[in-house]
Amino acid sequence: MVLTGAGMSAESGISTFRDSGGLWEKYPVEQVATPEGFARNPALVLEFYNQRRKQLLEVEPNKGHRLLCELEKDFEVHIITQNVDDLHERGGSSRVIHLHGELAKVCSSRDPDDPRYIRTLAPEEYEIRMGDLAGDGSQLRPYIVWFGEAVPLIEKAAKITSSADIFVIIGTSMNVYPAAGLLNYVPAGVPVFLIDPNPVQIQSSEKIEVIAKGASEGVAKLRKILSERYG
């Protein structure tokens, strides 16, 4: 089971949120990532995500994404990501849960989780404007879990985590809940690896093996360790 955060995609050129120069320094979270911000200025929010979608056309999966895919040759790999990009899928991973939504999808602003009105945009549709409507007649909005909203897939993620034989954390501050709380569902005695070039404070009674590298180098080292121990 692999839990990934913004650091997983940073090497591909996608801005992180919390680091110096990250997106939250440029765009206050209250403006572009809350239901209240959308209610106040929906045009601003739509344009923010339009620009982020366009960035998807300019980036590619990095070596870390591709190496996680290659792990599927030897392991049943489940990826639970806090990222809203599609780089895990484009890197070849077959089991991906997006806790915080998906950038390339839009949904109803009346009921964001109604599957009837969730759809994936083709690249030529990445510009969403005021007046573009979902099937229920409401304004289309990004299929993103904003701050203050429930995380609908957290129970599914917790269930998968509770059956993990190996738990890997890549590129996340472990400050955002409920995602950070998944560590509490890891069975006792299961090996836990943390891949991050920066120090990460984690409260856990279990021993955590730290690989202090970026995603690509870190996953490469993880593959070597897993091959030596379980190959």
Side-chain angles (χ1 to χ4, degrees):
M1 219 297 297
V2 183
L3 175 64
T4 68
M8 183 76 225
S9 297
E11 292 176 30
S12 293
I14 291 183
S15 297
T16 60
F17 286 88
R18 297 175 184 279
D19 292 340
S20 177
L23 285 170
W24 294 149
E25 287 188 4
K26 302 174 185 176
Y27 301 92
V29 59
E30 297 82 7
Q31 289 185 9
V32 296
T34 63
E36 295 79 11
F38 184 68
R40 280 193 303 268
N41 193 341
L44 172 68
V45 176
L46 292 178
E47 182 56 24
F48 173 75
Y49 289 98
N50 286 342
Q51 294 304 318
R52 294 200 63 204
R53 271 186 221 101
K54 290 178 183 177
Q55 189 183 31
L56 290 182
L57 302 175
E58 302 170 357
V59 298
E60 297 291 338
N62 59 54
K63 182 180 177 182
H65 292 106
R66 293 191 293 272
L67 289 177
L68 286 178
C69 171
E70 290 182 18
L71 276 177
E72 293 188 9
K73 297 175 182 177
D74 302 305
F75 298 90
E76 181 181 325
V77 181
H78 291 266
I79 295 173
I80 298 174
T81 185
Q82 298 171 79
N83 299 336
V84 296
D85 61 62
D86 58 356
L87 294 179
H88 279 302
E89 288 88 347
R90 286 162 57 190
S93 291
S94 60
R95 304 178 190 90
V96 184
I97 294 175
H98 286 269
L99 284 181
H100 297 161
E102 298 179 61
L103 190 55
K105 292 184 177 182
V106 289
C107 59
S108 160
S109 56
R110 183 176 300 138
D111 187 357
D113 297 317
D114 190 326
R116 294 176 298 173
Y117 308 123
I118 298 170
R119 66 182 181 91
T120 301
L121 300 173
E124 61 270 17
E125 301 175 304
Y126 275 4
E127 291 268 350
I128 297 298
R129 300 297 181 193
M130 294 298 297
D132 293 340
L133 304 181
D136 62 356
S138 68
Q139 171 65 45
L140 280 175
R141 59 159 271 186
Y143 183 57
I144 302 293
V145 178
W146 287 328
F147 288 93
E149 294 184 321
V151 180
L153 293 178
I154 192 63
E155 290 185 8
K156 181 178 180 181
K159 183 177 181 180
I160 293 172
T161 301
S162 67
S163 64
D165 298 305
I166 299 168
F167 188 76
V168 183
I169 303 165
I170 306 176
T172 172
S173 65
M174 297 299 283
N175 285 330
V176 177
Y177 285 83
L182 289 174
L183 190 59
N184 298 325
Y185 290 87
V186 178
V190 163
V192 177
F193 296 88
L194 169 67
I195 298 174
D196 203 298
N198 304 309
V200 178
Q201 298 299 320
I202 297 179
Q203 301 297 321
S204 174
S205 58
E206 298 293 328
K207 180 182 177 182
I208 297 177
E209 190 165 342
V210 177
I211 301 175
K213 296 182 180 295
S216 294
E217 286 186 74
V219 179
K221 184 171 182 179
L222 174 70
R223 284 193 70 200
K224 183 178 180 181
I225 292 171
L226 296 181
S227 177
E228 291 172 352
R229 296 182 188 176
Y230 306 103

